[in-house]
Amino acid sequence: MKGAKGMKGITFRAWQGGHYVTLAELRVRLGSFGLGLTWRVEVDEVVDPRVPEMERRSEGAGMDTLTLLSLTTPFLQLIDAEARGFAEDGLAVVLTEVDSSLWDVRAADEHVLDELRSHYPVIGELQEALPPGA
């Protein structure tokens, strides 16, 4: 899975009490920031029949936010997945779901991370650059 250099990030638990934070919920928490993004999604473990369609639509130019939301709601729990949101000037946000237990979120805009910090207890801050091969 590909990442981005120069982005800051946070890690928080995917399970908040008895509630699983889905990709759709995370996307909604991004608010208007993410509306104009084009998304590409990669999933290592197919656990739902919507996953192949999501990956198919991620090919080439990717999919718009409303298409992403339509494929991730209602409740869709992913295992080892990454959603990359692109703006016209490049990669803007990376949402990485780790083993259905953690979310790593990287963003070019610190305000995006601040918004998520206000909703989810952060358990770690991520380095600016992703490791090689991430």
Side-chain angles (χ1 to χ4, degrees):
M1 292 184 186
K2 299 173 188 164
K5 261 187 134 172
M7 293 182 141
K8 293 186 179 183
I10 58 173
T11 298
F12 59 90
R13 288 180 179 27
W15 287 94
Q16 300 288 317
H19 170 73
Y20 176 76
V21 178
T22 64
L23 177 59
E25 178 180 336
L26 209 57
R27 198 354 270 144
V28 169
R29 292 278 186 216
L30 297 178
S32 62
F33 167 79
L35 284 179
L37 298 180
T38 300
W39 295 89
R40 293 190 187 109
V41 179
E42 295 176 28
V43 180
D44 286 349
E45 192 169 326
V46 177
V47 294
D48 187 283
R50 293 172 283 181
V51 170
E53 177 65 11
M54 206 179 335
E55 290 186 315
R56 186 187 69 74
R57 289 177 179 253
S58 292
E59 295 172 359
M63 68 186 113
D64 62 33
T65 296
L66 294 178
T67 301
L68 175 66
L69 283 172
S70 74
L71 292 170
T72 57
T73 55
F75 186 83
L76 173 64
Q77 182 175 346
L78 298 171
I79 299 174
D80 295 329
E82 182 175 87
R84 290 171 280 141
F86 295 85
E88 287 184 18
D89 59 349
L91 187 60
V93 65
V94 180
L95 310 173
T96 306
E97 192 276 341
V98 182
D99 194 32
S100 209
S101 61
L102 298 172
W103 279 106
D104 286 346
V105 178
R106 296 177 185 276
D109 184 342
E110 184 73 27
H111 291 70
V112 171
L113 300 176
D114 288 342
E115 175 63 23
L116 295 176
R117 282 182 185 105
S118 73
H119 292 284
Y120 309 111
V122 172
I123 60 171
E125 298 286 329
L126 302 171
Q127 301 299 320
E128 283 194 26
L130 290 174

